[in-house]
Amino acid sequence: MALYKRELVRQQNRGRRKAVPGDHLAPFFKDISQLNSLDQITFLCIGTDRSTGDALGPMTGTLLEERGIPHVIGTLAAPCDADTLEKRLGDIPAHHTIIAIDACLGPKDATGTYYVSGTALRPAQSVGGNLPEVGEYSVAAVVNANGPRPYSILQMTSLYLIMGMSRSIADAISEAWESETFHL
């Protein structure tokens, strides 16, 4: 396919949210890596370490930092949560492309999958939060089934699931920017 046609298809698909299993995250990040060098990307890993289900973002951020990935906001040591999100957004250089990573609730049969998109993500939407949309690209990891008490559901989410999903995201990012990754 000619280069201009590939770019046209990429632009048309950019706005769609697509559900993928963990082993299909690498192509999503590889496409981004072909358009953006690692030193011009900020990984915005949203969530808190005080709720198992919502710890996916900070756990992913910690794994990325451990692998030497630069420009990570939101780790277990310094989470980027509802209270700090807007301030932390101000720390991101204007020329950086933001990839937002967050946990979400979804249909029961979607638990363990990821919604990837070339559009912004609205943090805290499943719990009724009113935070600004963030990111040029986004990954929303479905950590549990949505229900009537979303905060309780997030509290009772399996830590094992969160660790595995975080590892899948970090692995896919490391693979996509393998030649640029700075190993400690």
Side-chain angles (χ1 to χ4, degrees):
M1 183 183 296
L3 180 62
Y4 73 92
K5 284 186 179 177
R6 249 194 320 249
E7 188 57 34
L8 180 62
V9 169
R10 196 175 280 154
Q11 289 298 324
Q12 289 171 339
N13 290 333
R14 190 169 192 268
R16 275 192 351 201
R17 232 172 251 300
K18 182 178 173 187
V20 298
D23 57 351
H24 286 78
L25 286 170
F28 171 72
F29 288 115
K30 193 66 176 168
D31 283 348
I32 299 170
S33 76
Q34 291 172 352
L35 301 171
N36 302 275
S37 67
L38 191 57
D39 64 338
Q40 295 179 339
I41 289 188
T42 294
F43 293 94
L44 184 63
C45 302
I46 303 162
T48 180
D49 64 336
R50 296 173 185 238
S51 169
T52 306
D54 204 26
L56 178 123
M59 177 131 355
T60 303
T62 298
L63 292 171
L64 292 174
E65 271 194 348
E66 288 174 354
R67 294 166 188 224
I69 303 288
H71 312 296
V72 175
I73 294 178
T75 62
L76 290 171
C80 179
D81 57 21
D83 294 332
T84 62
L85 176 66
E86 292 189 54
K87 180 195 175 302
R88 306 288 296 277
L89 286 172
D91 297 338
I92 300 172
H95 68 281
H96 272 217
T97 297
I98 299 171
I99 300 176
I101 300 167
D102 196 8
C104 73
L105 299 174
K108 185 176 183 174
D109 62 342
T111 299
T113 62
Y114 306 82
Y115 290 112
V116 297
S117 178
T119 61
L121 176 138
R122 184 174 296 277
Q125 189 172 12
S126 63
V127 293
N130 189 21
L131 295 172
E133 287 188 342
V134 293
E136 283 78 29
Y137 298 94
S138 60
V139 177
V142 184
V143 299
N144 213 331
N146 202 357
R149 296 188 336 240
Y151 285 109
S152 295
I153 292 168
L154 284 172
Q155 289 287 344
M156 296 185 306
T157 297
S158 163
L159 180 58
Y160 180 79
L161 176 68
I162 297 303
M163 290 174 66
M165 293 183 81
S166 295
R167 196 171 296 116
S168 292
I169 296 169
D171 288 347
I173 290 169
S174 295
E175 182 181 326
W177 282 277
E178 188 172 23
S179 63
E180 296 183 58
T181 303
F182 308 101
H183 296 285
L184 298 175

